[in-house]
Every structure is written in structure tokens, then in C-alpha cells.
Amino acid sequence: GEPDASSRGTEREDVLPSLEVTVLDVGKADAILIQVKGRAVLIDTAGDGDGKTVAAALRERDISRLDALILSHLDKDHIGGADRILMEFAVDRLIQPVHTEDSGDYKEYREACVQKGLEPEELAEPLTFCLERADFRLLPAAKTTYAKDNDYSIMAELEYGEKRFLFAGDAEDERLREYLDGTVRPFDYLKVPHHGRESAMSAAFFRAVRPRCAVITCSGKNPPDDGVLAALRDGGAEVFLTEEGPVRAVTDGRELRVTQASPDE
């Protein structure tokens, strides 16, 4: 009798509630929503004009509070909607790189912080946190100055059961090289850096992270580079483009299912 009961017990514990990652269809811009058991994390907020799309997507899912809002870096296609999100939703933690940007969008975002009494955490060291057994690891850029704003990108790893996700912001050569200098293990899912622009490090990066599924935030007007698509597919990845609609991944920590809705849904 008893061993059976205990092994049944552990089996039950291993069944995780489903975790959902939705990459919204907001053109050549990023807004990625991660949900698990009533908790929610948002990575980036798309452009200024898309703040309302992002806000609507949160409301549609009955989200009124974010456990974390992570701004991977401060370009307008990542922080444009941040002011609206901060004004309309409760945000427990707000995380950004150690960097400032001289732009209207950045100013509006910082003004919204002041109005809401929120102090962004400027991430200088790797940060780990756990939400309902989903383990997040945020990796900030290692240097204080880069030639390209994109290289300030915070890269976010997420581990849930046996499944691993990597959200690479807009990381370009210098940042990707830094990342590859660390310990790199394969990922089941990759949010491809920089809207699928090809750079000198792209192929080496894809070979190292070996995604089974790759999502590219792009638009018909700004499609991904052919070299990126070829490198991903050669590595065995199934590639999804947000220009064809929002991409939804669901996992229980064992199986990962990725589907795409059509753009008008």
C-alpha cells in the first residue's frame, strides 16, 4: 500500500497549472503577456499607438494587475504603450535597463511613473523571481555603454517544468555575444531578437539556443530577413510571424502547444 500512495502524490504534484505566453500582433513592436494561475507578467508595451491594443488584451483576459512589467529596453516600439499600461493597471514591479532615452515616449513613461508613485528598478545584476512555480531569470546587459541602444536589452529566461523560454528583446551582436559567453542551454521557445533582423551573431546564437519554436514580432512592411528564417528553420524550429496574427503558447511544463489566431480575431 504505502509506496503507491506516495508515488501517486508526487505524480499529482508534477501536474502544473497551464502557463500561457501570448505574443500580441502589434506590428514591428513587442508586447508579450505571460500568465499562470491568475498571475501576469508583461514584457514590453508596443508602440504609442498600440498601447490601447495591449490594454484591451489585458482586460479581455480579466487582468487588472501585473506582477511585473519588464521593459526590455527603451526604444519606442517597446515602451510606447507603457504610460497607458501604468495609468490603467496596477503594477507590482517595474523593471528596466540602466539607461535613459532622450525621447517623447521615454518622457511620457517616466511621467506616468511619477503620477503612479512607481520607481522603476534599473536592473544592473541578474534577477530571479518565481511566480506559481514559473522561474524567471532576467539578464541585464553587462556594460554601461553600447554603440547601439538595442544592446541594452534585458534578456529574460523562463523555466516552467521541463519547458524553457527565452525572450531576447532586440539584442544585437554585442549583446548576443555577451549572452553566448554565459552558460547556454537549448530552449523550447525563443522570442527572436530584433524583429528578425539578421546580424553577424544571428546564426551562432540560433545554433546555441536551438529553439523548437521561434516567434518573430514583425509586420508586412517590416518582414524578417530571409537569412534569419533560413537559419531558424535549418535548426529545426517552427517559425511564427506576428504579422500573421497573435501567437499563443500553452504548456503544463511537459507539453508545449503553440497556435496562431488570424490577425482580425
Side-chain angles (χ1 to χ4, degrees), residues 186-203:
F187 285 88
D188 300 282
Y189 177 110
L190 171 67
K191 197 293 295 187
V192 174
H194 200 202
H195 317 289
R197 292 272 77 77
E198 191 169 13
S199 72
M201 291 301 293
S202 299

Side-chain angles (χ1 to χ4, degrees), residues 26 29-31 43-51 54 75-82:
V26 282
D30 278 22
I43 301 177
D44 293 328
T45 60
D48 203 11
D50 291 305
V54 180
D75 284 357
K76 64 180 195 297
D77 53 334
H78 294 254
I79 67 160

Side-chain angles (χ1 to χ4, degrees), residues 46-111:
D48 203 11
D50 291 305
K52 56 183 182 300
T53 310
V54 180
L58 296 183
R59 275 196 208 94
E60 226 166 76
R61 293 163 173 80
D62 292 324
I63 294 168
S64 58
R65 155 181 300 280
L66 292 170
D67 288 271
L69 169 56
I70 300 159
L71 299 173
S72 67
H73 64 300
L74 307 174
D75 284 357
K76 64 180 195 297
D77 53 334
H78 294 254
I79 67 160
D83 53 340
R84 180 185 286 256
I85 298 302
L86 291 172
M87 295 312 289
E88 296 183 18
F89 299 86
V91 173
D92 289 351
R93 287 186 92 160
L94 173 59
I95 297 164
Q96 68 157 71
V98 183
H99 183 47
T100 58
E101 188 84 65
D102 185 18
S103 73
D105 287 303
Y106 185 69
K107 208 164 127 240
E108 284 169 17
Y109 150 59
R110 292 306 291 236
E111 279 165 8

